[in-house]
Amino acid sequence: MFNFLNKIARSKKKIKPVESRNTLEEQSSWKEQTISWLIDENIDLMKKIYRIPDNRDVKVREIKLGGKGRKAAVFFISSITDVRTIEDSALRPLLLNKDPDAGIEEIIYTQNVTAVTQIQEVVENVNRGNAVIFLEGKPAAYAFECANFQGRSVESAETEVLIKGPKEAFTEKAIVNLSLLRKRIKNEALVAETVTIGKRSKNDVFILYIRNLADNQLVENIKGRLNNLNADAIQNLSLLEQYIEERKFSLFPSVLLSERPDRAASFIEDGHIVLIMDNSPDSLILPATFWSFFHTPEDHYLRFFFGNFIRVLRMIAMFITIFISAIYIAVTTYHAEMIPADLLLAIAGTREKVPFPVLIEILLMEIAFELIREAGLRVPNPMGPTIGIVGALILGQAAVEANIISPIVIIVVALSGLSSFTISDISLNFALRIIRFMFIFSAGLFGIYGMTTLFTLGMYYFVSLKSFGVPFLAPMSPHYVSSKDTIFRKLLTQESLRPGYLKPVDINKKGNGAVK
């Protein structure tokens, strides 16, 4: 009995590669095939490609032109097309047509008709949500646009939240996102080119730039990277970002991801390149500098003093996030003489019954804070804030009462964690949180000297980073001609220059500033 089952299993293993090979051979054969004069051959081939009727949402409608004329067939995928448009613009006109010699462009009620001669072009059009019409005696097919991919409507931004300014955010439909950008840039020079990526998924990426403003070499560089991608499927911009970035193992991001159309439009008007695609409620902005991640749109929506005040707070919070825990470890462990006597006695009193060194205390609380933050993000929305607040209170209070953690450590870690929330960009936020742990370990091992050494090496690494040929700290280091919108911003009326590191065709701004 067991021998019999083993023979069956071996026979099945031998059959599978043959089936796979046959499928690949069939696929390569129809990809190179032209449309036949005989409509029945075209219908049979399309049914074979799409496995009709097993493929339930792929539809074929066979009709007669004018009821008694030539045979015609319409192929479409009902789940991604507007069926009413097909009926009103194609099926009904074909059935009512009385002229057997009329061309397809004269029959159907739409102007977006494209003639194709290859089966592969037919399949690509059907997969994009278009309908394709075959005619008897015609070695060509006719595709017309009627795509209707489902998606959510335009909503408010979730990660880049603003108090003052537009509330619209990108959606998962590239056409909607393109409409949001064109609503803000009413310029005939705005170009939206497409590049198809993914050998199997075949998703379109829109490349947006202003023709007489963006650097042509930068545009060609981005197009070349997209055309040279070697991947079966790239479904969204978050995955595409990891394929096109220059340094795969860099701690700092080199591509800016934004869900706000007003921000993307502002970068386009400065000479940047913006990528959008279906399935992504974001846009990729290329190239990106450190200041792009540090700034928010609200910095320019607020008045001059208010916007700069927020930037000062954000810069202070960034340094607190990186250094406060490390400084506490270094000072209490190696440099106690730097602390006033009264404060040193207070710290020593709170740590009298704590069995762990300061480094272990900080690490325990930092890891606990990160766990609470991650748990608050992953649970359902109504419970997220509750878990964060209650978890922090319970853990902190219980740890102090159990003499595992000293009270001042709770203050230090809480201040460090809260300061990290001021950095809105998620990629820069992750980078700063990881750097914080690096400084904690360096301070625990070598004190202030370890922190100084790590900071020096980090600055060497920082200035070596580039994003599509643009230095990461530009225009501050190296210096470029620009509006000098780095730590502080100028009055909008004084921001008259575009970033020189982008090499724009026209470096003088015609408007009153930009949102960054």
Side-chain angles (χ1 to χ4, degrees), residues 222-290:
I222 294 172
K223 288 182 185 178
R225 294 195 186 196
L226 293 175
N227 286 318
N228 294 328
L229 290 178
N230 184 19
D232 272 357
I234 302 177
Q235 295 292 344
N236 52 56
L237 290 176
S238 299
L239 299 176
L240 179 62
E241 174 187 1
Q242 301 176 56
Y243 278 94
I244 64 175
E245 62 184 354
E246 293 185 349
R247 293 194 180 185
K248 308 297 183 183
F249 297 99
S250 173
L251 189 59
F252 289 94
S254 58
V255 179
L256 177 62
L257 199 72
S258 177
E259 65 173 347
R260 299 190 60 87
D262 56 326
R263 194 179 190 194
S266 172
F267 277 100
I268 292 176
E269 291 173 332
D270 272 353
H272 288 78
I273 315 298
V274 170
L275 306 181
I276 60 176
M277 66 182 294
D278 282 321
N279 311 316
S280 292
D282 308 287
S283 63
L284 283 184
I285 300 170
L286 315 171
T289 63
F290 169 76

Side-chain angles (χ1 to χ4, degrees), residues 95-388:
L95 290 171
L96 297 177
N97 176 60
K98 302 299 182 182
D99 185 1
D101 297 323
I104 196 71
E105 298 90 344
E106 302 172 3
I107 299 175
I108 65 175
Y109 302 152
T110 179
Q111 300 298 321
N112 301 320
V113 180
T114 305
V116 295
T117 58
Q118 299 288 329
I119 292 296
Q120 183 177 358
E121 294 177 313
V122 173
V123 173
E124 289 176 356
N125 273 280
V126 173
N127 290 341
R128 295 175 189 274
N130 300 333
V132 178
I133 303 173
F134 290 94
L135 290 180
E136 186 177 10
K138 285 280 189 179
Y142 301 90
F144 66 94
E145 296 181 6
C146 55
N148 184 27
F149 290 92
Q150 299 301 314
R152 62 188 176 97
S153 59
V154 178
E155 299 174 356
S156 301
E158 294 183 1
T159 57
E160 298 176 90
V161 180
L162 301 184
I163 298 175
K164 186 177 182 180
K167 301 297 187 290
E168 290 178 331
F170 287 127
T171 70
E172 284 78 6
K173 298 181 71 172
I175 296 299
V176 176
N177 298 340
L178 184 58
S179 172
L180 292 173
L181 289 173
R182 287 199 177 273
K183 184 174 73 171
R184 288 164 171 80
I185 307 176
K186 298 179 177 66
N187 190 339
E188 69 281 357
L190 178 60
V191 179
E193 300 184 21
T194 59
V195 174
T196 302
I197 59 173
K199 295 179 180 179
R200 293 185 180 273
S201 61
K202 297 187 183 300
N203 291 315
D204 287 336
V205 177
F206 286 83
I207 307 172
L208 285 88
Y209 61 94
I210 296 180
R211 184 179 61 254
N212 54 5
L213 178 61
D215 180 32
N216 291 330
Q217 186 175 356
L218 177 61
V219 175
E220 294 301 323
N221 180 15
I222 294 172
K223 288 182 185 178
R225 294 195 186 196
L226 293 175
N227 286 318
N228 294 328
L229 290 178
N230 184 19
D232 272 357
I234 302 177
Q235 295 292 344
N236 52 56
L237 290 176
S238 299
L239 299 176
L240 179 62
E241 174 187 1
Q242 301 176 56
Y243 278 94
I244 64 175
E245 62 184 354
E246 293 185 349
R247 293 194 180 185
K248 308 297 183 183
F249 297 99
S250 173
L251 189 59
F252 289 94
S254 58
V255 179
L256 177 62
L257 199 72
S258 177
E259 65 173 347
R260 299 190 60 87
D262 56 326
R263 194 179 190 194
S266 172
F267 277 100
I268 292 176
E269 291 173 332
D270 272 353
H272 288 78
I273 315 298
V274 170
L275 306 181
I276 60 176
M277 66 182 294
D278 282 321
N279 311 316
S280 292
D282 308 287
S283 63
L284 283 184
I285 300 170
L286 315 171
T289 63
F290 169 76
W291 313 108
S292 305
F293 299 95
F294 177 72
H295 297 164
T296 66
E298 203 165 32
D299 297 346
H300 277 74
Y301 290 144
L302 294 173
R303 297 181 67 245
F304 172 73
F305 287 109
F306 305 157
N308 282 327
F309 175 70
I310 289 178
R311 286 193 178 180
V312 171
L313 287 181
R314 195 179 303 127
M315 184 64 70
I316 294 173
M318 184 175 66
F319 278 95
I320 290 175
T321 299
I322 297 174
F323 294 114
I324 187 170
S325 297
I327 291 175
Y328 176 76
I329 294 173
V331 169
T332 55
T333 305
Y334 297 100
H335 313 286
E337 66 277 3
M338 298 176 63
I339 307 175
D342 293 340
L343 180 59
L344 181 62
L345 291 174
I347 294 174
T350 59
R351 298 198 68 256
E352 184 177 1
K353 296 182 181 180
V354 177
F356 302 114
V358 177
L359 176 61
I360 302 301
E361 277 189 89
I362 292 290
L363 283 177
L364 287 175
M365 288 309 301
E366 289 283 2
I367 294 173
F369 190 92
E370 294 296 332
L371 289 174
I372 293 172
R373 172 187 287 186
E374 189 67 17
L377 290 174
R378 303 306 168 194
V379 298
N381 287 335
M383 298 175 58
T386 304
I387 288 180

Side-chain angles (χ1 to χ4, degrees), residues 79-97:
S79 57
I80 59 174
T81 57
D82 188 349
V83 178
R84 182 177 295 276
T85 300
I86 297 175
E87 292 178 353
D88 295 341
S89 300
L91 293 178
R92 185 176 291 111
L94 288 172
L95 290 171
L96 297 177
N97 176 60

